[in-house]
Amino acid sequence: MSKRTPLIAGNWKMNKTATEGVELVKEISAASVGSHASVNVVLCPPFTALSAVGQAIEGSLIALGAQNIHDKANGAFTGEISASMLRNLHVTHVIIGHSERRSIFGEDDAFVNRKVLAALSATLKPILCVGELLAEREANQTMEVVRRQLEAGLAGVPAAKAESVIIAYEPVWAIGTGKTATPAMAQEVHAFIRKLLAQQFGADTAARILILYGGSMKPDNADALLAEQDIDGGLIGGAALDAKSFTELVRIAAKSLSR
Ligand code: PEP
């Protein structure tokens, strides 16, 4: 049995107003999500819905995550949000280095790394996203790309804080496309990531770090993905916007722990 409690994280991206977000939380909570400890759940709404969603999940086991931070603590960075601002709203997790941030907003590995370090300094758990483009997979560069993003993203992370880091392997060609990596393809990369984590932080610590899969995870493919030894949960985009599919994913993940 895995030593790791599975985690299902919903990345709402630029969807849901605060009012719509609270409605979604009500539907999710009605299905008893966040009332038992066999699976951890994090919701990552847009910044504008953090406060309202935070209030709506109060008293449940659902945690609050953000989708991005700036690496600086404060200052003249118009439009940006710092780690301490998020902590003040009781945010505990933050997605960093999502492929949409890398490709649309030009975030490079060095910036991603500074954000990871800023998150850890503020006791936020970074969900560091790594993953290859379709062209990179077709050119057999998947492991090289994942190694570069992981090693650069985690540079300077002290071993004592490594267990606060969560990795999300998200093959870019599978995000929002309906194409999913097969369980075997995903497991191969997850095992490789855990090997790299062991090299950096030691095997015991690496065995405790969560590695999520992301990329069109849905109720009909989650069971097989979560059955793999090194897949500890999911970072969910599209399916997190629908209460029925999200709660079903949480139920499947809870079941995967008892295997
Ligand atoms: C994501 O954006 O992190 C993601 C995995 O999206 P989707 O589930 O829609 O592929």
Side-chain angles (χ1 to χ4, degrees):
M1 196 201 290
S2 166
K3 295 180 191 139
R4 302 172 292 270
T5 303
L7 171 67
I8 296 292
N11 173 13
W12 293 2
K13 310 195 186 192
M14 198 173 74
N15 294 293
K16 306 285 178 195
T17 63
T19 312
E20 291 164 348
V22 170
E23 277 309 306
L24 181 54
V25 171
K26 278 190 196 149
E27 289 178 57
I28 290 171
S29 305
S32 298
V33 168
S35 59
H36 50 86
S38 56
V39 55
N40 289 319
V41 177
V42 182
L43 298 179
C44 305
F47 290 130
T48 47
L50 280 171
S51 188
V53 168
Q55 282 170 31
I57 60 177
E58 222 175 276
S60 78
L61 295 176
I62 300 174
L64 189 61
Q67 299 172 19
N68 186 27
I69 49 167
H70 194 267
D71 66 308
K72 300 291 187 299
N74 50 51
F77 301 100
T78 301
E80 293 296 323
I81 305 283
S82 73
S84 63
M85 292 169 183
L86 296 177
R87 288 300 287 141
N88 188 247
L89 292 178
H90 309 291
V91 171
T92 52
H93 294 68
V94 60
I95 298 168
I96 294 179
H98 190 279
S99 63
E100 287 150 17
R101 302 281 336 156
R102 292 179 192 260
S103 66
I104 304 171
F105 301 100
E107 296 189 2
D108 62 11
D109 285 332
F111 193 25
V112 168
N113 176 238
R114 292 199 301 276
K115 290 175 185 231
V116 168
L117 297 175
L120 288 171
S121 300
T123 69
L124 278 174
K125 289 177 191 279
I127 302 176
L128 171 63
C129 301
V130 299
E132 80 286 0
L133 305 170
L134 183 57
E136 291 165 337
R137 175 158 284 269
E138 287 173 349
N140 282 327
Q141 292 168 345
T142 298
M143 300 309 190
E144 190 183 320
V145 170
V146 167
R147 177 196 287 273
R148 192 202 73 230
Q149 291 179 341
L150 193 81
E151 290 182 349
L154 296 179
V157 170
K161 289 190 176 172
E163 278 179 49
S164 297
V165 175
I166 296 160
I167 307 298
Y169 168 57
E170 300 206 305
V172 180
W173 49 270
I175 296 178
T177 59
K179 291 184 192 150
T180 324
T182 63
M185 278 159 92
Q187 167 59 24
E188 186 187 18
V189 182
H190 280 233
F192 177 67
I193 290 172
R194 202 171 304 284
K195 191 177 91 185
L196 295 173
L197 293 172
Q199 284 167 7
Q200 185 169 352
F201 302 117
D204 285 355
T205 299
R208 287 194 287 270
I209 295 177
L210 291 175
I211 308 176
L212 312 181
Y213 170 79
S216 299
M217 196 190 257
K218 306 224 159 29
D220 61 2
N221 59 28
D223 204 24
L225 285 160
L226 294 170
E228 296 291 341
Q229 198 185 341
D230 290 291
I231 301 183
D232 306 318
L235 180 54
I236 317 296
L241 297 174
D242 173 66
K244 195 161 169 282
S245 57
F246 189 72
T247 52
E248 183 62 8
L249 283 167
V250 173
R251 196 189 59 74
I252 293 167
K255 212 179 61 188
S256 76
L257 184 67
S258 55
R259 276 199 277 260

